[in-house]
Amino acid sequence: MSTGTILAIVIPVAVVIVLIALAIVLDRRRRRRLRERFGPEYDRTVDDVGSRRAAEQELGAREKRHAELDIKPLPSGARERYAEEWRGVQEEFVDRPEGAVHEADRLVTALMRERGYPTEGFEQQMRDLSVEHGRTLEHYRAAHEINTLSSSRQATTEQLRGAMVHYRALFDELLSNGDAAGPGRA
């Protein structure tokens, strides 16, 4: 075989190998970035849709939708107002635990709306929140389930207390504009 023939075979094979290796590296980077961004929501989405590739497409679509939203930080006055309202909801829990849980849900939804998140349905809220708040999403999910139980008077006082703790996790994160430290956690 001539040198030209060998090069004509080796070069395309080498290029294909490099392209495959590059695709693998880029895929791993993308997966790592999505895992870091979405936290536990990454694995949950993989389980829900049944495949890693489909889950990553879903999470990518969430990122695109989120980028189109007008998410904004709260002015300090609004932050103080919401913090005061939350204190009132917590105080209400002593005398009216079910009412306090419903009020906590309403307050979290109002806070989401003011930050710029659409609030048209729980599942869409979850998808929109997952982009920046994936690590607190399980709290919101758990609180929502208990709130639903509470609506039919099936939640225990301990479950209602847990719902308040769960709502508080997302509330603090939204109130702090997504900062990791949150209010009073420095």
Side-chain angles (χ1 to χ4, degrees), residues 44-133:
R44 183 181 183 84
T45 305
V46 169
D47 290 343
D48 286 350
V49 299
S51 82
R52 182 186 53 79
R53 185 170 307 279
E56 289 175 358
Q57 288 174 344
E58 162 68 20
L59 296 173
R62 291 182 193 184
E63 285 180 318
K64 285 179 185 170
R65 175 180 159 88
H66 188 273
E68 294 171 0
L69 300 175
D70 184 22
I71 307 299
K72 53 197 170 289
L74 287 174
S76 62
R79 224 177 327 195
E80 291 167 14
R81 185 183 81 241
Y82 277 106
E84 184 61 36
E85 280 188 66
W86 183 263
R87 283 189 285 279
V89 169
Q90 285 182 304
E91 290 171 6
E92 179 184 351
F93 185 82
V94 174
D95 295 323
R96 295 184 47 239
E98 286 181 341
V101 168
H102 296 311
E103 189 60 20
D105 181 69
R106 184 208 58 80
L107 190 57
V108 166
T109 302
L111 178 54
M112 287 170 47
R113 187 177 307 112
E114 189 159 342
R115 289 282 315 275
Y117 287 98
T119 55
E120 75 275 351
F122 179 72
E123 289 305 318
Q124 187 60 53
Q125 288 175 357
M126 294 295 289
R127 286 188 293 275
D128 291 338
L129 286 169
S130 71
V131 177
E132 288 187 2
H133 306 283

Side-chain angles (χ1 to χ4, degrees), residues 22-34:
L22 183 61
I24 290 170
V25 168
L26 292 175
D27 187 54
R28 286 183 180 163
R29 280 187 187 165
R30 179 173 184 244
R31 184 176 312 133
R32 183 175 42 243
R33 184 188 63 75
L34 287 171

